[in-house]
Amino acid sequence: MSAGHQTTQTDDVDQTPDELASALAWHNGDAEATIRTLLADCRHLREQLALAEISMSLGFTRGWRPCRQPAAAVVEDASASG
């Protein structure tokens, strides 16, 4: 097999683009516009989560309910209290 046909294994992390750089590039380096867009996206997703929470039955989700806090904050709160 020639060198041109060989594939190399790379770490998955190396293949993911830097999300911060991508977000800033989308707004031509304007950090304020980037933050405004991310906050608007967050607000929209929280509204969608609230609507989903209202419309879901416990039987559908087998007792699981969405959490409004990020997972990291929930873990930190649990470790701090116990």
Side-chain angles (χ1 to χ4, degrees), residues 7-11 15:
T7 58
T8 58
Q9 293 277 339
T10 59
D11 191 20
Q15 295 193 12

Side-chain angles (χ1 to χ4, degrees), residues 24-71:
L24 283 168
W26 180 264
H27 293 285
N28 298 319
D30 186 350
E32 185 175 339
T34 302
I35 292 169
R36 288 182 188 281
T37 298
L38 292 173
L39 288 173
D41 287 348
C42 184
R43 186 179 324 104
H44 171 74
L45 291 172
R46 287 182 183 270
E47 290 170 0
Q48 294 297 304
L49 180 61
L51 291 173
E53 185 178 8
I54 291 168
S55 64
M56 287 188 321
S57 70
L58 288 177
F60 177 73
T61 61
R62 297 180 188 245
W64 176 85
R65 299 300 278 179
C67 179
R68 296 188 186 278
Q69 292 181 332

